[in-house]
Amino acid sequence: MPNASLRSIHIHPLKSVRGRAPREAAVEPWGLAGDRRWVLIDASGKIVTQRQHPRLALASAETPDGDGLRMSAPGRAPLTVPVPRPAGTTTVNIFGDKVEAVLADDAAHAWWSAYLEADVRLLHLDDPATRRPIDPEYAKPGETVSFADGYPLLLTTLSSLDALNSLIAQGDHADEGPLPMNRFRPNVVVDGTAPWAEDDWSRITIGSVTFRITKKCGRCVVTTTNQSTSERGKEPLRTLARHRRFGDQLCFGTNLVPETTGTVRIGDAITILA
């Protein structure tokens, strides 16, 4: 695929809210720099995402100058909170993984609790190099991940989205399509490939950075959430269930682990190594 290239980059500083789309990003061993280093938890310590609170789709978070977190949401005055000092940690339950993270200040907890009308707290992952190992079935010793669902990066392709939207148009919820790529919340979006070509990749380079493909990405109810309105529908899960079921998972996109570090930029060539 000599014409495959990196079309867009997406970083979500706070898991499950809107992020930003820079023209370049540093690749660290655990993912793109600044991606999913913050998370919300409920009173029991479990992570809070759009699965429980679709209105998180309407909120946004940025890291101005890489220092602290600036949060905004409908009906709330924006708030910037500093990176908390690692004086002590709290245990986060993220899909069964127990991860230590640092609590933000009380103003942040109050801000998010008011917006979601639920008791939540904001935490920061202070040491991604040691806090959360990747599933050992797909990882090498010492490989870690941030608060992403399971792997450092998620890759999707424009051709596969086009193919999926064509299938949606033929289904019983055609009025919900075509879906935009933001339903899938990827880190890197690739152009110039055949539909579903990513299913067969095992190693790639983006520019000068090498990545290992771990597994197809199983999708959840978040993909049915309109990221502009927070309303939910049936697609794409209805269509994925018919055409992209692998075992017990409905798949779109593929998960990556960096083998090297560096910087990826929009327009970088994609090379399939294996």
Side-chain angles (χ1 to χ4, degrees), residues 101-144:
V102 184
L103 282 167
D105 60 29
D106 290 342
H109 310 327
W111 194 95
W112 283 109
S113 294
Y115 175 62
L116 295 178
E117 298 180 346
D119 182 14
V120 298
R121 293 176 291 168
L122 177 69
L123 291 96
H124 179 255
L125 186 63
D126 61 320
D127 187 6
T130 64
R131 294 295 189 198
R132 186 184 177 207
I134 299 172
D135 182 347
E137 183 177 352
Y138 299 97
K140 296 178 181 179
E143 290 182 333
T144 61

Side-chain angles (χ1 to χ4, degrees), residues 48-245:
V48 171
T49 72
Q50 288 184 37
R51 294 166 177 82
Q52 302 87 12
H53 293 281
R55 290 183 69 234
L56 284 172
L58 307 181
S60 63
E62 299 178 333
T63 51
D65 301 321
D67 184 20
L69 189 71
R70 178 176 174 80
M71 311 170 301
S72 59
R76 303 292 301 167
L79 177 68
T80 300
V81 297
V83 173
R85 296 179 178 179
T89 60
T90 295
T91 302
V92 177
N93 183 337
I94 176 167
F95 309 125
D97 291 342
K98 300 299 178 64
V99 183
E100 295 300 308
V102 184
L103 282 167
D105 60 29
D106 290 342
H109 310 327
W111 194 95
W112 283 109
S113 294
Y115 175 62
L116 295 178
E117 298 180 346
D119 182 14
V120 298
R121 293 176 291 168
L122 177 69
L123 291 96
H124 179 255
L125 186 63
D126 61 320
D127 187 6
T130 64
R131 294 295 189 198
R132 186 184 177 207
I134 299 172
D135 182 347
E137 183 177 352
Y138 299 97
K140 296 178 181 179
E143 290 182 333
T144 61
V145 61
S146 64
F147 284 130
D149 277 4
Y151 301 91
L153 285 89
L154 171 63
L155 177 150
T156 59
T157 69
L158 291 175
S159 60
S160 294
L161 178 62
D162 289 343
L164 177 62
N165 277 325
S166 293
L167 294 171
I168 290 173
Q170 301 166 29
D172 53 0
H173 292 278
D175 59 309
E176 293 188 25
L179 301 182
M181 191 64 85
N182 66 7
R183 289 290 188 95
F184 301 96
R185 301 178 63 80
N187 291 117
V188 289
V189 179
V190 173
D191 197 4
T193 68
W196 317 119
E198 62 274 19
D199 288 352
D200 299 322
W201 301 345
S202 58
R203 291 179 73 240
I204 65 171
T205 60
I206 302 177
S208 63
V209 185
T210 303
F211 300 88
R212 186 175 77 255
I213 312 296
T214 57
K215 61 184 291 291
K216 298 177 183 69
C217 184
R219 310 315 305 221
C220 70
V221 70
V222 171
T223 61
T224 70
T225 307
N226 186 313
Q227 297 294 296
S228 298
T229 67
S230 77
E231 296 176 351
R232 281 193 172 143
K234 300 294 185 181
E235 295 292 0
L237 293 185
R238 184 66 62 90
T239 296
L240 291 176
R242 292 173 176 168
H243 299 281
R244 295 285 297 171
R245 183 185 292 277

Side-chain angles (χ1 to χ4, degrees), residues 240-260:
L240 291 176
R242 292 173 176 168
H243 299 281
R244 295 285 297 171
R245 183 185 292 277
F246 297 86
D248 61 354
Q249 293 196 321
L250 314 181
C251 296
F252 184 86
T254 193
N255 295 296
L256 310 181
V257 176
E259 291 188 340
T260 62

